[in-house]
Every structure is written in structure tokens, then in C-alpha cells.
Amino acid sequence: MKDLAFQGKWRTYQQKILDDLTNLIGDDGLHIVAAPGSGKTVLGLEVMRRLGEPALILAPSKTIRDQWAQRLRMMFLPTNIAEPDWISHDLRAPGTVTIITYQALHAAFSGHVSEEKILSSEEEGSDQAQPAEPARQQRMEKARKSIIAKLREEKVRTLVLDEAHHLRNEWWKALTMLKEALGKPTVVALTATPPYDVDPKEWDRYQELCGPIDGEISAPELVLQGDLCPHQDYVHFSLPSTLETQKLAEFRAQIWNFIERLLKSAEFEEAILRHPWIRRPIENVEHILEMHAFSPAC
């Protein structure tokens, strides 16, 4: 980590965050909202460098993971130097700086060899043969303990989270378990699009992981500095051809025919009336409130 030094020049809005870094970083870490194009990756790397502790960086995709590694080499190491051996992309062999995807964390915690394997198994569904539940739980527990032990051995005390709100539910669980197991590491959360539109429960979960928002780099700041071009949307309307119009009309007619048949179906009506939410709503009130789109449809 001591070999790292920023090779460029900070933009005004980046420098503002860094100048106030001591005040912004609290007990729960640092949570920055930065507009696209503001250089949040480089900013995150500088915060990691200043913290000076071994770090685990998590990205939402392999492409973005590779961008973190590329920015680290290009912007924080001397020119023409090879990637140092203390940078790792393997959670089972962490380095001073380990850069992986959220998928890879979930895969490793689940005892899978690779993130590709776990993604393919999730897509294939339950048709694939799965190990018995006790054996699967034991395998996962063993994998988690092994990984956490290696991260502790490497003295990882900084977690850098890139766009954490994109996580699937299972990935979220793995990350939460990791954070707890490392014993309150410093969390550096960076995002361009906080999940403002989610329900309160999900927003609370997001803040519990990333902490409250400490600072923001807005799009107008980028425009003011000349780093983002102001734009005006141009909309061009394209009407469907005669054949396309006919196909659309046929498709809509098929939908309405299906709805009419469904509404006249005694079997469908009976199935709805037998549904436990309709017959015993008080007993199922929690499920009804959770699935607030499905219950009114019934």
C-alpha cells in the first residue's frame, strides 16, 4: 500500500471530498454519491490508500472489477510497471488489495469453485441435482470460515463497495455476513444511483450496510468544471408499418380474448376464492402486506 501514489491531478469536486475526508469518515465509514463520469473509482482508491489498511474491493461485474484494477495500475503506480503480486482477484488467496465481484463472494461463501458455476446453477434452477441440505450447509459453513480466516490473516480492515444497491438478495446476505465477521471494518461505499425509489425496509437495509450518505458529487458540478457536456434530449417518433400495426392489433386482441376467457372461467374463480389470503386474510396479513401487488389483484 505504501507504494501507491496518485499520478494525476485531482478535479475540484474530488479535492473537496478529500480535503474534508477526516470529517466525512465516521464510525460507519464513508458513503459517497458521485455522478457518472466524476471519477468515483479513482476517488475510492485514494480513500483506500489514505486509510492504509489491506482492502477488499467489490464490484457489480467483471468489467467493472477489471476497471478498478486498471485504474490502480495506471493512476497509482509508476508508468510501465507490471501488476504487483500484492493485488489479488482470488478471494481464496487474498492480497493486500483484493478486487473481486459480489458474485465471486457469494460463490466462494457457497463453496463453489467459481462465480460462473454458481450463476449457471441459479439459472438452471432446481432440475439440477443438489446436495442434501445438511451437507450443503456444512460445505457453506466450512467455505465461509476458511475465507474469513484468510482475510483476517491478511488483516483486511477496509471494504470498498461499488454500486452495492445492485446486489441480489443472496449476494446481500453474503456481504452482510462478511462485514459482521470482519468486526466492523471501515466501509467505503460509492454509488452513482442510490436506491431512493425502494421501499423503506430496503432503504434501511442499504443504509445499514453502507451507512448514511456523507457527501455527494452532483452532475451540475461536472458540467461547471467542463467534465460533462450539457445536453438536450432529442426524440424522433417512428410510426409502425402497416404490417407491424396489424401484428400489434392481433396481439392486443389475443390478450383481451385471454382476459375474457379467464374472467368467465368458473375454475379460475373457484381457485381465487379458495386462496388462503381470501379465506383467512387476518391470519395471512403479513404475507399480504409483503406482496402488495399480488393481494389486490386477488
Side-chain angles (χ1 to χ4, degrees):
M1 195 77 71
K2 63 182 180 180
D3 298 329
L4 298 178
F6 184 58
Q7 306 294 315
K9 182 179 179 181
W10 294 113
R11 303 170 187 173
T12 303
Y13 42 80
Q14 293 172 327
Q15 190 66 60
K16 182 177 69 174
I17 296 290
L18 294 173
D19 288 345
D20 200 29
L21 191 59
T22 303
N23 295 324
L24 293 177
I25 293 185
D27 295 335
D28 48 14
L30 179 70
H31 186 183
I32 298 295
V33 176
S38 61
K40 65 183 177 66
T41 300
V42 177
L43 186 63
L45 289 169
E46 175 64 12
V47 173
M48 176 196 75
R49 186 192 71 80
R50 294 191 181 193
L51 290 172
E53 296 178 310
L56 175 63
I57 301 172
L58 294 114
S61 69
K62 284 186 175 182
T63 300
I64 297 177
R65 178 202 68 183
D66 294 343
Q67 287 176 358
W68 277 86
Q70 182 187 45
R71 297 290 191 281
L72 182 60
R73 290 193 303 270
M74 292 178 58
M75 305 299 294
F76 288 86
L77 292 172
T79 308
N80 299 325
I81 189 173
E83 184 171 302
D85 56 9
W86 46 263
I87 298 177
S88 171
H89 297 291
D90 185 358
L91 193 58
R92 295 169 182 82
T96 304
V97 177
T98 305
I99 310 172
I100 62 170
T101 63
Y102 294 109
Q103 301 98 304
L105 172 64
H106 176 40
F109 267 27
S110 301
H112 288 267
V113 176
S114 67
E115 59 193 286
E116 289 88 350
K117 183 173 180 180
I118 194 169
L119 288 172
S120 63
S121 66
E122 288 176 349
E123 291 168 358
E124 289 164 0
S126 58
D127 292 339
Q128 300 296 313
Q130 299 292 332
E133 187 63 21
R136 187 174 72 88
Q137 292 294 340
Q138 290 177 4
R139 182 193 68 193
M140 293 171 65
E141 183 68 19
K142 183 179 179 180
R144 284 196 295 267
K145 287 182 177 179
S146 174
I147 290 165
I148 290 167
K150 290 177 181 177
L151 291 173
R152 286 174 175 170
E153 183 180 349
E154 195 62 41
K155 296 182 173 57
V156 171
R157 296 297 304 151
T158 300
L159 288 181
V160 181
L161 310 181
D162 191 4
E163 301 290 0
H165 65 278
H166 286 309
L167 302 186
R168 296 185 189 180
N169 192 48
E170 290 302 316
W171 301 350
W172 194 283
K173 291 178 182 177
L175 184 55
T176 301
M177 282 190 287
L178 175 64
K179 180 183 175 183
E180 292 176 355
L182 291 179
K184 295 184 178 180
T186 301
V187 175
V188 179
L190 305 161
T191 182
T193 52
Y196 292 127
D197 56 346
V198 298
D199 60 61
K201 185 177 180 181
E202 190 170 346
W203 175 256
D204 290 342
R205 186 178 71 168
Y206 174 74
Q207 282 204 310
E208 184 178 354
L209 178 66
C210 299
I213 296 174
D214 299 298
E216 184 170 359
I217 299 174
S218 64
E221 290 180 272
L222 273 70
V223 174
L224 183 64
Q225 294 295 314
D227 297 321
L228 183 67
C229 179
H231 75 282
Q232 181 175 3
D233 292 331
Y234 176 73
V235 180
H236 175 71
F237 292 96
S238 176
L239 297 176
S241 66
T242 302
L243 179 60
E244 290 169 339
T245 301
Q246 179 184 342
K247 293 293 184 182
L248 288 171
E250 291 174 355
F251 179 68
R252 291 178 184 135
Q254 290 172 0
I255 293 175
W256 283 113
N257 288 337
F258 171 75
I259 293 173
E260 288 179 0
R261 291 200 308 272
L262 199 61
L263 293 176
K264 293 176 182 178
S265 169
E267 183 180 359
F268 176 70
E269 181 180 352
E270 184 181 357
I272 294 296
L273 293 175
R274 285 204 312 264
H275 197 285
W277 292 8
I278 302 299
R279 298 180 65 183
R280 299 184 300 278
I282 301 301
E283 297 176 20
N284 294 280
V285 64
E286 290 188 8
H287 296 297
I288 291 172
L289 292 175
E290 286 178 2
M291 300 186 66
H292 46 73
F294 180 69
S295 55
C298 286

